[in-house]
Structures are given as structure tokens and as C-alpha cells.
Amino acid sequence: MAAYLCAPAVIHGEHSVETREIVEEVRGRHPHAPWAPRIDGIAASTGIESRGWMLPLEAAVAPGGGGDLGAAREALVRDGFTEQDANRAIAALKAVPASQTVQERTAPAWEAVQAYGERAARGALQIAGLDVADVDCLITSNSTTPALPGLDVALANRLPLRGDTMLLPATQWACVAGTRSLALAADLVAADPDRVVLVVISEALSTTYQPADDTLESLIVRLLFADTAVAAVVTGRPRPESVLRLDAAWHHTLPGTRDLHRLETRADGTHFVMDRRGPRAVQETVTAMWEWLRVRYEDDPSSWHPDVLLAHPGGTRVLEYMEQTMPDEWPSGLLAYSRDSYTSGNRGGAAVFDILRRAHDAGQKAGSRAVLYAAAPGLTATALEGEWL
């Protein structure tokens, strides 16, 4: 399978949003929610004090425009209301804060996703010592700001790429985008070792911040997500800038789990819906990954182990489960970079690239082994195994 990965470019959301700001906003909006007395403890349990968003918190909580009420006024007059009474009714309606529409929430975020994606793409090409004209294939993923044409076409024009560049958008990969895009890129360069693949993932997860929601799950979503754009170059032959060789990929999908985590588009925008059974299902994919690695190295079970585990399982509970179920002989601290990344938010599909960048910046010995893992709504997971160069 051998594919060669250059260090990724990571662009964090430039607007710092503190957890205390979110807690203050939610407490003021939902003072009588069943979980309101516990909100400080819930926020602290995430371990996240700040996260970066592409747009400020004010953009997420601002009221909507309310739409054109002219037709409603005309209907009132036709129904017998006096001009004065109709005007009074319309004024009262305008005074009630309206939720933002899908367009009001998504349009500015989509613009930001494109701009951040372009910055990440240019950064990755600079890291790899390549130019936009060298790109033969572009793989993109962004789940929270759906658009057609998508991020692939937007970047093809913004960079711009050659007209014969293969464009492969993967809008619905979500949290598994980091590992699955690398697995696909590895397959592409295996078919043509001279091919240069550029991967770009740009996610504005803050669009799932829904002020009107008063469920506990919605509170957790508000507290977890961060916005990030990442990009990296994958080639079929080693380059001086290559940092990791990818040797094998593994995929796993659990049947009957597609409703555990999902995005729903409603009148006021995108909602991320979570089921409390989700972490247990993710743990099943972790167990399956351990078995894949056991079989892969069954001829050397006592001495082989990864030197670093770059994992995006979506939450601290699964990180704890991973540590508890690792073979006893494996060293401790394999998930240090995953935990470090998570302290500033769940980055969805961009997470594995961010974790990889942290590991690279810390310095890794040539020949050290790495395992990359991610799970996503579906419930589906992809892992890769490789060696630092």
C-alpha cells in the first residue's frame, strides 16, 4: 500500500470562544432547563476551556431577520383588522426574536469554510514543496455546510487547479474524514505512484450551535465543537518533505447504528443529534481495530506496539476505553497527542490531522510506528498503520 504523507497544515478558527461565555449564554437563555443547576459541572467535565470558531459566538446566537411580514399584515387587513390594529400586531411580532434561518446560519459559514480550506491547501502545498499545478487529485470533506457545487469545485477555482485535476468530494464522511481520506489517497497513489493527491478538510462545526435547543445533548454539542481546516499532500513516492509512510488501512461499519449520531437540517439550521448509546458503539469499533492489529502482527505479538496512537474517537469516554483495553505490554501515553488536541475542542473530520501535526511538531524517531484511528456517524470507522520517516 505504501503511500507517503507530508506534514499537514492546520488552520484553527480565529475567534476564540471561552467555555464560560457559552455557559453564560446558555444559562441566560434556558434558566429553568432540568440540567441548569448542573451546567458548571457538565462544562468542566468536557475538559475544554476554549475553542476556535471561524465566526464569533455572536454570529451563532444573533436573532434572525424575521422574514418579510408584509404578507401577514395584508392578510390581517383582509380579515377585518383595522390598519392600526394590523400595524400593532406586526410590530409585536417583529419584537419577538426569531431564530436564524438555514440560509442565515449556513451562508456565512460556507464562505468561511472555503476561505479556510484555501489557506490550508496552500499551506500544505508549501510544506510539501509543491505548486498548485502539481496536484493531480483533490479530495475534500466538509459535512456541516453542504453546498452544490461543493468545496472541491470551490477550491479548484480559488487555488486554481489544473483543468484535468480529479475532484473527489466526500461531504458526508464527517469525523472519519481524516483517516478515510488518507486511505483513499493511498489507494490512488498505489494505482499511479506519480500521482500527487491533496486532501483538504474544512469544518465549521459551530453551525450546530442552536440557541433555542434546551436538551442536555444540545448543551453538550455547544460545549464540544471547534472549527478547523486542515490539508496534507500524499504521494506514491517518498519526497524529502514526507514524514509518514502509510502501510495498511482498515475499515469497519456497525450495522443498525446509523441513528446514534446524525445531522438534521431544520428550519433554523443544522442540528447535531446524539444518542447516549453512541460511546458504547464507538468502543465496539475500537475492539475491532485491536483485533485487526493483533492479526496483522500475530507473528510478533510480544514485541510489536505502536509508538503513538493518533485517535479521534469523539470523546473522552472512548479515549479512556482505548487505554483500558490496550494490551498490557504496550507503553503508556500513546494517546497523549489525542488528549492534547481534545482540550481545545472536537474538530470532527479535521481532528486526526491536527493530532498528527502535534505529534510531528513534538518530534518522532524514524522507524517509530503510528496508528491513526477515527470513528464517525454511521457508525463507521477507519484506521491506518504506518511508520515515521
Side-chain angles (χ1 to χ4, degrees):
M1 171 184 175
Y4 298 88
L5 173 65
C6 295
V10 180
I11 311 296
H12 301 291
E14 63 185 23
H15 298 278
S16 178
V17 179
E18 304 294 320
T19 293
R20 58 175 177 78
E21 297 178 88
I22 294 175
V23 168
E24 180 181 349
E25 194 278 327
V26 175
R27 179 182 282 125
R29 193 179 294 269
H30 301 290
H32 305 298
W35 39 259
R38 299 185 290 123
I39 188 171
D40 290 318
I42 294 169
S45 70
T46 67
I48 303 168
E49 294 185 358
S50 179
R51 75 283 293 142
W53 284 3
M54 294 181 183
L55 299 173
L57 176 61
E58 291 75 18
V61 302
D68 183 8
L69 295 176
R73 181 185 180 283
E74 292 176 5
L76 290 173
V77 172
R78 286 197 305 269
D79 203 41
F81 281 69
T82 65
E83 293 281 345
Q84 185 178 11
D85 288 342
N87 289 338
R88 187 180 297 112
I90 295 302
L93 289 174
K94 288 182 176 180
V96 177
S99 298
Q100 295 183 41
T101 63
V102 174
Q103 181 179 11
E104 288 172 327
R105 282 304 301 273
T106 305
W110 170 232
E111 290 300 320
V113 162
Q114 295 175 77
Y116 273 72
E118 180 184 354
R119 288 171 57 192
R122 293 187 181 279
L125 289 170
Q126 183 178 19
I127 291 170
L130 295 170
D131 189 74
V132 292
D134 298 314
V135 177
D136 301 303
C137 176
L138 171 67
I139 301 173
T140 60
S141 184
N142 67 296
S143 302
T144 49
T145 49
L148 184 67
L151 183 60
D152 58 326
V153 175
L155 293 180
N157 284 274
R158 293 174 74 115
L159 289 173
L161 300 177
R162 303 192 320 260
D164 63 345
T165 301
M166 182 192 307
L167 304 181
L168 294 175
T171 307
Q172 294 170 316
W173 272 348
C175 296
V176 83
T179 52
R180 193 155 295 174
S181 61
L182 292 179
L184 175 57
D187 287 341
L188 290 168
V189 298
D192 180 359
D194 292 322
R195 183 176 281 156
V196 173
V197 180
L198 174 63
V199 175
V200 181
I201 304 164
S202 186
E203 290 286 19
L205 295 170
S206 59
T207 57
T208 63
Y209 192 108
Q210 294 296 343
D213 282 1
D214 63 357
T215 65
L216 176 60
E217 289 75 18
S218 178
L219 168 65
I220 294 172
V221 168
R222 287 172 167 93
L223 293 167
L224 291 186
F225 287 140
D227 297 346
T228 315
V230 295
V233 169
V234 179
T235 58
R237 305 186 193 280
R239 298 179 52 80
E241 299 84 2
S242 302
V243 299
L244 186 67
R245 189 188 69 237
L246 303 174
D247 294 329
W250 164 88
H251 306 281
H252 191 74
T253 300
L254 292 176
T257 58
R258 66 189 183 94
D259 292 330
L260 296 185
H261 304 90
R262 62 192 185 275
L263 282 179
E264 291 183 355
T265 301
R266 305 174 189 170
D268 56 353
T270 302
H271 294 246
F272 186 74
V273 182
M274 298 190 303
D275 190 294
R276 296 182 186 181
R277 298 170 297 162
R280 179 62 63 183
V282 177
Q283 290 171 9
E284 290 188 42
T285 70
V286 172
T287 301
M289 179 183 65
W290 293 153
E291 178 63 13
W292 168 63
L293 291 171
R294 185 194 68 77
V295 172
R296 180 166 168 77
Y297 288 98
E298 61 184 352
D299 294 334
D300 194 15
S302 61
S303 61
W304 185 88
H305 62 77
D307 297 287
V308 66
L309 179 55
L310 313 174
H312 173 61
T316 55
R317 285 177 58 188
V318 182
L319 286 173
E320 292 168 358
Y321 176 81
M322 295 180 85
E323 290 178 331
Q324 294 165 3
T325 56
M326 288 178 191
D328 293 337
E329 59 269 21
W330 286 14
S332 61
L334 295 180
L335 287 165
Y337 303 112
S338 299
R339 289 190 175 280
D340 182 49
S341 175
Y342 198 77
T343 60
S344 52
N346 181 328
R347 293 176 170 80
V352 165
F353 279 34
D354 176 65
I355 299 166
L356 174 67
R357 183 74 219 193
R358 292 167 190 262
H360 169 265
D361 290 349
Q364 302 297 320
K365 294 180 180 179
S368 297
R369 305 300 299 185
V371 172
L372 291 69
Y373 163 88
L379 197 136
T380 185
T382 292
L384 299 108
E385 196 263 331
E387 181 177 302
W388 293 97
L389 301 174

